[in-house]
Amino acid sequence: MPLKKPAKRRRLVRKEEEGDTSIGSLITEKKKLLERQQTTSELEQLFGKLNKQLAEEEASDDEKIVPEEMTENTHFDEDYFLQSDTEELEIDIHESVNTYLDKEAQKNLEDALEQTETLEKKDDRWHTSFFRPGKHSIREPIFHPEGSTLCLRSRHITKMAEIPEQRAFLLDSGCIQDWYLSGWKCPSHVYQWLFEVAALDQNRRCALNALNTLRFLWTQNEIGGCNSIKHITMDTFLSVLSAYHAEPSTLLNDPINSNPSPLRHLPIIQLGWVIRAFSSSMQLWPGAYLSSEIRHAIRLLLQISLDRRSGYIMQDIQTSIDHGLLALKRDDWIIETKMIAHNICDVVSSTKAQYCLLESIKPILTRSRYLKRMIAMTCLEKCLEREDPGSVNSIVTDQGFLQQIHTLFSHSAGFFQQNPKDIDYDECVIRIGMLDAAIGTDIDELRTNKDTVLSMVDSMRSMSLQIGSRLGILSKTLANEMIQRVWARLTYMIGNEANSHLS
């Protein structure tokens, strides 16, 4: 049997034979490769010229369009956002639409813009500026030594407190804590100075170190005592608010800035720090404050909550109000709370702003809930007094809380007894919200006075039915939904007796 050649040998022979016949094709491929490389280099040169031209055009456009403040040094902190809130966008819409709209469409647009401006003016009543808007010169913290003779360490603090760099070094080193641990009795003016540094220093790290130093000294001291020297005085707190350029109507004096400093926005974060610190001071040493000072502090906190910028620190404001109410004496807190409610309603006259005050009060503590109800009822009393002068004096104050509210609600000359089709629906939302807050959420009180509550429920159901279900107007829809929500809540809280009564 003859042997066959290996397949591998046959393949090698075939490749050698093919190699002998493919020299022409290799030369052709080489030419194509050279042409492709040349074409690629030419394309790269062309694209390079185009990219360079586009980069030059973009650079020239950026110089014309990009605002000056949007640079690499722009920091997106509280100052940037506060500045963006106060700046107005200046665009002439009327000139822009002349090219695209006909005369009838332009007139409709102008009517819509006028209505929008009217609504914006109405919405301004929700907020009241406590601090002046924009940038202002905020003074540096001042060290006020007490007495003519100072100890060596107090004289050292006096020397270091004048220069910002040395002040920052002093607080960063932690020497005040070391002095105290070694037995140094920290005087009262040092606590006040630390509070001012935390509030007014432009160096955020230095302000935070001052706040931490103040907290450290408080935790190391004995809590209690009406003659304590560790608390933050009311004068210091008012001085800080004045330095923040509070409106003159809110404080007794205008801020005095003998050493002008660079203009800057209200330091919201530091404001939250000092509100929290003053709250801790009232909580730790309630006996160091007079009742009038606590009432004044709570009123100021309520006014600060109406400022547009207070949303960043609303939790600190709510906590401070709770601590202030707890600092009132146990025997007098009800009377003091009523005085606070009357004072804040006298200062804040707008019903919308008064309604916003309720958001700054937590519904947790008994005293806070009572303050919330008193503000709501005081607002309803003042509204009735404007509608029918002298009518509030005829209301018997010896009766229960819900009976007084029912008297205000069912007064013949009051807002709730008007024809629901003719009332101001925006005002109706506020009045019903105030009524809801004044009634409260005490189930035992509601069930004890179920007849009074059911009478108000029937009146609110009648109001809702007269307003109607086919609404078509947003304010009318909101008013009807608000009324339904309140009477449904009361019906649910009273229980089965209310369900049988309504059926």
Side-chain angles (χ1 to χ4, degrees):
M1 183 176 180
L3 296 175
K4 296 182 179 179
K5 294 181 180 180
K8 185 176 181 181
R9 177 62 181 169
R10 289 200 301 270
R11 285 197 297 270
L12 290 175
V13 172
R14 188 179 301 114
K15 286 182 179 180
E16 291 176 357
E17 294 176 353
E18 292 176 356
D20 295 338
T21 58
S22 60
I23 295 175
S25 60
L26 290 175
I27 295 173
T28 304
E29 293 294 333
K30 183 65 174 179
K31 290 181 179 179
K32 291 181 180 179
L33 179 61
L34 294 175
E35 292 176 355
R36 193 180 302 115
Q37 291 177 353
Q38 185 178 1
T39 305
T40 304
S41 61
E42 291 177 357
L43 290 174
E44 290 178 354
Q45 292 177 359
L46 292 174
F47 279 110
K49 293 180 180 179
L50 288 175
N51 292 332
K52 184 177 180 180
Q53 185 179 359
L54 290 175
E56 292 176 354
E57 292 178 356
E58 290 177 356
S60 61
D61 292 340
D62 292 341
E63 293 177 356
K64 298 178 181 179
I65 299 175
V66 176
E68 294 180 358
E69 63 270 15
M70 293 297 294
T71 61
E72 296 180 356
N73 296 325
T74 300
H75 301 285
F76 294 93
D77 55 1
E78 59 184 8
D79 292 342
Y80 174 79
F81 291 111
L82 288 176
Q83 183 177 1
S84 62
D85 290 340
T86 56
E87 289 178 350
E88 296 182 358
L89 188 62
E90 298 181 357
I91 298 178
D92 193 351
I93 301 179
H94 300 280
E95 294 182 359
S96 301
V97 301
N98 288 337
T99 311
Y100 306 100
L101 300 179
D102 53 12
K103 293 183 179 180
E104 183 178 359
Q106 291 177 19
K107 183 179 179 181
N108 295 334
L109 179 61
E110 290 178 357
D111 295 339
L113 291 175
E114 290 179 359
Q115 295 177 3
T116 304
E117 292 176 357
T118 304
L119 292 175
E120 289 178 353
K121 292 180 180 178
K122 290 184 178 180
D123 291 339
D124 289 340
R125 294 183 296 169
W126 288 100
H127 300 279
T128 304
S129 295
F130 186 85
F131 302 101
R132 292 192 181 106
K135 289 185 176 183
H136 300 282
S137 177
I138 300 177
R139 68 171 176 84
E140 293 289 333
I142 303 174
F143 186 76
H144 298 282
E146 297 177 355
S148 57
T149 58
L150 298 176
C151 64
L152 181 61
R153 287 165 180 168
S154 295
R155 288 198 298 269
H156 181 70
I157 294 176
T158 304
K159 184 187 300 183
M160 300 284 285
E162 296 178 356
I163 303 175
E165 292 77 10
Q166 296 182 1
R167 181 171 62 237
F169 174 78
L170 174 66
L171 295 172
D172 197 18
S173 62
C175 60
I176 295 180
Q177 294 94 315
D178 295 336
W179 293 345
Y180 182 82
L181 293 176
S182 64
W184 176 55
K185 294 183 179 180
C186 183
S188 176
H189 56 264
V190 174
Y191 291 93
Q192 315 307 319
W193 174 71
L194 290 173
F195 185 80
E196 283 203 359
V197 173
L200 306 176
D201 202 300
Q202 298 185 39
N203 187 346
R204 187 66 58 78
R205 179 177 177 179
C206 179
L208 183 58
N209 287 333
L211 181 65
N212 293 332
T213 303
L214 187 63
R215 290 173 177 172
F216 173 83
L217 297 177
W218 280 348
T219 56
Q220 300 297 321
N221 282 309
E222 182 181 357
I223 299 174
C226 59
N227 296 321
S228 173
I229 62 172
K230 298 95 179 175
H231 71 282
I232 304 301
T233 63
M234 190 65 187
D235 292 337
T236 304
F237 184 61
L238 293 177
S239 176
V240 168
L241 295 181
S242 297
Y244 282 155
H245 291 267
E247 293 289 347
S249 59
T250 59
L251 300 176
L252 297 178
N253 54 351
D254 275 342
I256 300 175
N257 192 359
S258 57
N259 296 321
S261 57
L263 299 179
R264 53 177 174 150
H265 283 289
L266 175 70
I268 294 294
I269 296 177
Q270 291 175 250
L271 176 61
W273 290 349
V274 297
I275 288 178
R276 202 180 313 158
F278 189 74
S279 167
S280 300
S281 179
M282 289 191 296
Q283 182 186 19
L284 295 174
W285 298 282
Y289 298 93
L290 299 175
S291 298
S292 58
E293 292 179 338
I294 297 176
R295 293 199 310 269
H296 190 193
I298 295 176
R299 180 178 66 80
L300 291 176
L301 291 171
L302 289 170
Q303 288 181 259
I304 293 174
S305 68
L306 296 179
D307 197 287
R308 289 182 180 273
R309 294 159 288 188
S310 65
Y312 300 99
I313 55 172
M314 184 58 70
Q315 187 175 1
D316 297 328
I317 295 174
Q318 292 174 341
T319 304
S320 299
I321 292 174
D322 288 345
H323 290 169
L325 293 173
L326 291 175
L328 295 172
K329 295 181 180 180
R330 182 177 300 179
D331 299 334
D332 302 332
W333 73 269
I334 294 180
I335 299 175
E336 299 290 343
T337 304
K338 290 181 180 179
M339 295 176 64
I340 294 171
H342 283 85
N343 290 338
I344 190 62
C345 289
D346 289 337
V347 174
V348 181
S349 58
S350 171
T351 54
K352 280 191 173 184
Q354 290 172 349
Y355 184 61
C356 288
L357 289 173
L358 305 179
E359 299 180 1
S360 61
I361 305 174
K362 292 182 180 179
I364 300 176
L365 299 178
T366 302
R367 298 187 181 188
S368 300
R369 292 197 300 268
Y370 187 79
L371 175 61
K372 192 171 187 176
R373 297 182 69 183
M374 281 304 306
I375 291 177
M377 192 174 75
T378 305
C379 176
L380 294 175
E381 289 178 351
K382 291 186 177 299
C383 291
L384 180 60
E385 184 66 22
R386 289 195 296 267
E387 294 160 358
D388 186 14
S391 58
V392 178
N393 298 328
S394 61
I395 298 177
V396 181
T397 57
D398 295 337
Q399 56 186 347
F401 209 97
L402 290 177
Q403 281 76 16
Q404 296 183 41
I405 297 172
H406 181 263
T407 304
L408 295 172
F409 177 79
S410 59
H411 197 278
S412 58
F415 178 84
F416 299 103
Q417 302 304 319
Q418 298 178 13
N419 187 354
K421 297 182 179 179
D422 300 331
I423 62 175
D424 183 358
Y425 296 111
D426 292 329
E427 187 70 17
C428 181
V429 173
I430 299 172
R431 298 290 184 92
I432 293 295
M434 285 291 184
L435 178 66
D436 185 24
I439 292 173
T441 57
D442 190 347
I443 298 179
D444 295 334
E445 182 184 10
L446 292 174
R447 291 180 177 177
T448 303
N449 302 272
K450 60 180 183 298
D451 295 335
T452 303
V453 176
L454 289 175
S455 176
M456 290 188 287
V457 168
D458 289 339
S459 299
M460 283 187 282
R461 289 189 66 205
S462 177
M463 288 177 60
S464 178
L465 292 174
Q466 292 183 46
I467 291 176
S469 58
R470 295 181 180 180
L471 305 177
I473 302 175
L474 180 59
S475 58
K476 193 175 181 181
T477 304
L478 292 176
N480 196 14
E481 292 292 333
M482 192 73 172
I483 295 171
Q484 293 180 10
R485 184 181 69 84
V486 174
W487 74 255
R489 180 184 74 84
L490 297 176
T491 304
Y492 175 78
M493 294 186 69
I494 293 177
N496 296 327
E497 296 180 0
N499 294 329
S500 60
H501 173 79
L502 295 176
S503 61

